Amino acid sequence: MIDFLAAAGSAAAGPPAWTGWVLPLGMLLILWFLILRPQMRQQKQHRERVAGLGKGDEVVTAGGLVGKITKVDEHFVHVELAKGMTVKAVRNTIGEVLSSRNTPAAND
């Protein structure tokens, strides 16, 4: 009788093997939708802003300098910080476009 109970207990089936993957896959999905996807969206928007830079745009660099673009090259932009003071910056260091030459003034 004891042998029968021992055999019945060891023959009991455990949970299916795929249940061990549910938690890691769920965590990866959460990571993807809460962290990675928004980051990729921000990177895409930044690439579009940098690709659309043009003369006359008012920009902020990653270092916090605010100025107006006077010349656009393939990899660099020339930013006028003050009258007669121009710096050369790498295009990808432009953090934000404050006002674009294409946007009308607020009071128009």
mmCIF file of all heavy atoms in Angstrom, residues 36-58:
data_model
loop_
_atom_site.group_PDB
_atom_site.id
_atom_site.type_symbol
_atom_site.label_atom_id
_atom_site.label_comp_id
_atom_site.label_asym_id
_atom_site.label_seq_id
_atom_site.Cartn_x
_atom_site.Cartn_y
_atom_site.Cartn_z
ATOM 1 N N LEU A 36 11.698 50.621 -24.141
ATOM 2 C CA LEU A 36 12.386 50.615 -25.429
ATOM 3 C C LEU A 36 11.590 51.312 -26.533
ATOM 4 O O LEU A 36 12.156 52.080 -27.311
ATOM 5 C CB LEU A 36 12.719 49.178 -25.841
ATOM 6 C CG LEU A 36 13.698 48.459 -24.914
ATOM 7 C CD1 LEU A 36 13.888 47.029 -25.368
ATOM 8 C CD2 LEU A 36 15.017 49.184 -24.867
ATOM 9 N N ARG A 37 10.311 51.065 -26.630
ATOM 10 C CA ARG A 37 9.510 51.670 -27.696
ATOM 11 C C ARG A 37 9.448 53.186 -27.600
ATOM 12 O O ARG A 37 9.663 53.873 -28.602
ATOM 13 C CB ARG A 37 8.104 51.079 -27.663
ATOM 14 C CG ARG A 37 7.727 50.494 -28.985
ATOM 15 C CD ARG A 37 6.376 49.841 -28.963
ATOM 16 N NE ARG A 37 5.568 50.478 -29.981
ATOM 17 C CZ ARG A 37 4.330 50.845 -29.820
ATOM 18 N NH1 ARG A 37 3.725 50.655 -28.688
ATOM 19 N NH2 ARG A 37 3.685 51.410 -30.788
ATOM 20 N N PRO A 38 9.190 53.762 -26.415
ATOM 21 C CA PRO A 38 9.204 55.231 -26.327
ATOM 22 C C PRO A 38 10.587 55.816 -26.638
ATOM 23 O O PRO A 38 10.685 56.870 -27.258
ATOM 24 C CB PRO A 38 8.806 55.512 -24.880
ATOM 25 C CG PRO A 38 8.054 54.315 -24.451
ATOM 26 C CD PRO A 38 8.669 53.164 -25.182
ATOM 27 N N GLN A 39 11.650 55.125 -26.235
ATOM 28 C CA GLN A 39 12.995 55.610 -26.520
ATOM 29 C C GLN A 39 13.257 55.616 -28.027
ATOM 30 O O GLN A 39 13.824 56.564 -28.559
ATOM 31 C CB GLN A 39 14.031 54.744 -25.803
ATOM 32 C CG GLN A 39 15.460 55.143 -26.079
ATOM 33 C CD GLN A 39 15.793 56.513 -25.551
ATOM 34 O OE1 GLN A 39 15.214 56.989 -24.589
ATOM 35 N NE2 GLN A 39 16.745 57.166 -26.185
ATOM 36 N N MET A 40 12.828 54.575 -28.723
ATOM 37 C CA MET A 40 13.015 54.525 -30.174
ATOM 38 C C MET A 40 12.203 55.622 -30.862
ATOM 39 O O MET A 40 12.654 56.216 -31.837
ATOM 40 C CB MET A 40 12.621 53.149 -30.716
ATOM 41 C CG MET A 40 13.576 52.054 -30.309
ATOM 42 S SD MET A 40 13.317 50.437 -31.063
ATOM 43 C CE MET A 40 11.584 50.231 -31.103
ATOM 44 N N ARG A 41 11.027 55.910 -30.354
ATOM 45 C CA ARG A 41 10.191 56.975 -30.919
ATOM 46 C C ARG A 41 10.879 58.331 -30.751
ATOM 47 O O ARG A 41 10.894 59.149 -31.669
ATOM 48 C CB ARG A 41 8.832 56.974 -30.229
ATOM 49 C CG ARG A 41 7.834 57.873 -30.903
ATOM 50 C CD ARG A 41 6.447 57.828 -30.251
ATOM 51 N NE ARG A 41 5.983 56.469 -30.037
ATOM 52 C CZ ARG A 41 5.502 56.023 -28.879
ATOM 53 N NH1 ARG A 41 5.442 56.823 -27.829
ATOM 54 N NH2 ARG A 41 5.082 54.789 -28.754
ATOM 55 N N GLN A 42 11.466 58.571 -29.570
ATOM 56 C CA GLN A 42 12.178 59.828 -29.334
ATOM 57 C C GLN A 42 13.387 59.949 -30.246
ATOM 58 O O GLN A 42 13.669 61.029 -30.770
ATOM 59 C CB GLN A 42 12.620 59.927 -27.880
ATOM 60 C CG GLN A 42 11.498 60.190 -26.922
ATOM 61 C CD GLN A 42 11.956 60.183 -25.474
ATOM 62 O OE1 GLN A 42 13.071 59.791 -25.162
ATOM 63 N NE2 GLN A 42 11.091 60.632 -24.581
ATOM 64 N N GLN A 43 14.113 58.859 -30.446
ATOM 65 C CA GLN A 43 15.270 58.886 -31.333
ATOM 66 C C GLN A 43 14.846 59.188 -32.762
ATOM 67 O O GLN A 43 15.522 59.943 -33.470
ATOM 68 C CB GLN A 43 16.017 57.562 -31.277
ATOM 69 C CG GLN A 43 16.781 57.348 -30.001
ATOM 70 C CD GLN A 43 17.413 55.969 -29.922
ATOM 71 O OE1 GLN A 43 17.079 55.074 -30.689
ATOM 72 N NE2 GLN A 43 18.318 55.801 -28.976
ATOM 73 N N LYS A 44 13.738 58.623 -33.206
ATOM 74 C CA LYS A 44 13.252 58.870 -34.558
ATOM 75 C C LYS A 44 12.865 60.342 -34.715
ATOM 76 O O LYS A 44 13.193 60.970 -35.727
ATOM 77 C CB LYS A 44 12.053 57.973 -34.848
ATOM 78 C CG LYS A 44 11.500 58.149 -36.237
ATOM 79 C CD LYS A 44 10.309 57.251 -36.481
ATOM 80 C CE LYS A 44 9.735 57.503 -37.855
ATOM 81 N NZ LYS A 44 8.513 56.732 -38.069
ATOM 82 N N GLN A 45 12.178 60.904 -33.736
ATOM 83 C CA GLN A 45 11.803 62.312 -33.794
ATOM 84 C C GLN A 45 13.040 63.199 -33.833
ATOM 85 O O GLN A 45 13.085 64.189 -34.561
ATOM 86 C CB GLN A 45 10.924 62.680 -32.600
ATOM 87 C CG GLN A 45 9.545 62.095 -32.657
ATOM 88 C CD GLN A 45 8.773 62.331 -31.369
ATOM 89 O OE1 GLN A 45 9.341 62.748 -30.357
ATOM 90 N NE2 GLN A 45 7.480 62.042 -31.402
ATOM 91 N N HIS A 46 14.075 62.859 -33.045
ATOM 92 C CA HIS A 46 15.305 63.647 -33.043
ATOM 93 C C HIS A 46 15.990 63.580 -34.402
ATOM 94 O O HIS A 46 16.459 64.593 -34.918
ATOM 95 C CB HIS A 46 16.251 63.159 -31.937
ATOM 96 C CG HIS A 46 17.502 63.960 -31.851
ATOM 97 N ND1 HIS A 46 18.687 63.525 -32.391
ATOM 98 C CD2 HIS A 46 17.758 65.184 -31.319
ATOM 99 C CE1 HIS A 46 19.616 64.435 -32.190
ATOM 100 N NE2 HIS A 46 19.071 65.449 -31.536
ATOM 101 N N ARG A 47 16.049 62.377 -35.010
ATOM 102 C CA ARG A 47 16.651 62.246 -36.339
ATOM 103 C C ARG A 47 15.904 63.099 -37.362
ATOM 104 O O ARG A 47 16.522 63.738 -38.215
ATOM 105 C CB ARG A 47 16.648 60.786 -36.786
ATOM 106 C CG ARG A 47 17.761 59.961 -36.214
ATOM 107 C CD ARG A 47 17.882 58.622 -36.931
ATOM 108 N NE ARG A 47 16.649 57.852 -36.962
ATOM 109 C CZ ARG A 47 16.274 56.983 -36.044
ATOM 110 N NH1 ARG A 47 17.060 56.741 -35.015
ATOM 111 N NH2 ARG A 47 15.134 56.326 -36.159
ATOM 112 N N GLU A 48 14.574 63.119 -37.274
ATOM 113 C CA GLU A 48 13.778 63.934 -38.196
ATOM 114 C C GLU A 48 14.028 65.417 -37.992
ATOM 115 O O GLU A 48 14.126 66.177 -38.954
ATOM 116 C CB GLU A 48 12.292 63.617 -38.031
ATOM 117 C CG GLU A 48 11.904 62.245 -38.531
ATOM 118 C CD GLU A 48 10.490 61.860 -38.151
ATOM 119 O OE1 GLU A 48 9.814 62.628 -37.416
ATOM 120 O OE2 GLU A 48 10.055 60.772 -38.568
ATOM 121 N N ARG A 49 14.134 65.848 -36.729
ATOM 122 C CA ARG A 49 14.420 67.259 -36.449
ATOM 123 C C ARG A 49 15.787 67.644 -36.990
ATOM 124 O O ARG A 49 15.947 68.702 -37.601
ATOM 125 C CB ARG A 49 14.370 67.534 -34.948
ATOM 126 C CG ARG A 49 12.981 67.659 -34.392
ATOM 127 C CD ARG A 49 13.000 68.259 -32.996
ATOM 128 N NE ARG A 49 13.859 67.539 -32.082
ATOM 129 C CZ ARG A 49 13.438 66.651 -31.199
ATOM 130 N NH1 ARG A 49 12.163 66.350 -31.132
ATOM 131 N NH2 ARG A 49 14.279 66.048 -30.393
ATOM 132 N N VAL A 50 16.790 66.791 -36.768
ATOM 133 C CA VAL A 50 18.141 67.087 -37.227
ATOM 134 C C VAL A 50 18.196 67.089 -38.751
ATOM 135 O O VAL A 50 18.862 67.921 -39.360
ATOM 136 C CB VAL A 50 19.150 66.080 -36.626
ATOM 137 C CG1 VAL A 50 20.502 66.176 -37.295
ATOM 138 C CG2 VAL A 50 19.291 66.317 -35.132
ATOM 139 N N ALA A 51 17.481 66.181 -39.384
ATOM 140 C CA ALA A 51 17.473 66.138 -40.846
ATOM 141 C C ALA A 51 16.786 67.368 -41.431
ATOM 142 O O ALA A 51 17.127 67.791 -42.533
ATOM 143 C CB ALA A 51 16.778 64.871 -41.325
ATOM 144 N N GLY A 52 15.855 67.947 -40.714
ATOM 145 C CA GLY A 52 15.115 69.095 -41.208
ATOM 146 C C GLY A 52 15.687 70.441 -40.830
ATOM 147 O O GLY A 52 15.045 71.467 -41.046
ATOM 148 N N LEU A 53 16.884 70.464 -40.250
ATOM 149 C CA LEU A 53 17.484 71.735 -39.861
ATOM 150 C C LEU A 53 17.786 72.581 -41.090
ATOM 151 O O LEU A 53 18.183 72.065 -42.131
ATOM 152 C CB LEU A 53 18.781 71.503 -39.085
ATOM 153 C CG LEU A 53 18.644 70.937 -37.681
ATOM 154 C CD1 LEU A 53 20.017 70.660 -37.093
ATOM 155 C CD2 LEU A 53 17.879 71.885 -36.790
ATOM 156 N N GLY A 54 17.610 73.875 -40.932
ATOM 157 C CA GLY A 54 17.900 74.785 -42.030
ATOM 158 C C GLY A 54 18.303 76.150 -41.505
ATOM 159 O O GLY A 54 18.201 76.453 -40.306
ATOM 160 N N LYS A 55 18.779 76.964 -42.415
ATOM 161 C CA LYS A 55 19.212 78.310 -42.064
ATOM 162 C C LYS A 55 18.030 79.093 -41.489
ATOM 163 O O LYS A 55 16.927 79.069 -42.029
ATOM 164 C CB LYS A 55 19.753 79.000 -43.315
ATOM 165 C CG LYS A 55 20.351 80.346 -43.061
ATOM 166 C CD LYS A 55 20.946 80.918 -44.326
ATOM 167 C CE LYS A 55 21.503 82.293 -44.056
ATOM 168 N NZ LYS A 55 22.093 82.883 -45.251
ATOM 169 N N GLY A 56 18.267 79.749 -40.377
ATOM 170 C CA GLY A 56 17.230 80.552 -39.741
ATOM 171 C C GLY A 56 16.530 79.868 -38.583
ATOM 172 O O GLY A 56 15.798 80.518 -37.843
ATOM 173 N N ASP A 57 16.746 78.583 -38.390
ATOM 174 C CA ASP A 57 16.127 77.875 -37.260
ATOM 175 C C ASP A 57 16.799 78.304 -35.956
ATOM 176 O O ASP A 57 18.014 78.440 -35.886
ATOM 177 C CB ASP A 57 16.274 76.367 -37.405
ATOM 178 C CG ASP A 57 15.409 75.783 -38.499
ATOM 179 O OD1 ASP A 57 14.522 76.498 -38.983
ATOM 180 O OD2 ASP A 57 15.630 74.624 -38.859
ATOM 181 N N GLU A 58 15.997 78.502 -34.934
ATOM 182 C CA GLU A 58 16.535 78.788 -33.604
ATOM 183 C C GLU A 58 16.600 77.471 -32.849
ATOM 184 O O GLU A 58 15.597 76.766 -32.745
ATOM 185 C CB GLU A 58 15.652 79.786 -32.855
ATOM 186 C CG GLU A 58 16.297 80.300 -31.586
ATOM 187 C CD GLU A 58 15.489 81.421 -30.956
ATOM 188 O OE1 GLU A 58 14.589 81.960 -31.603
ATOM 189 O OE2 GLU A 58 15.781 81.730 -29.795
#
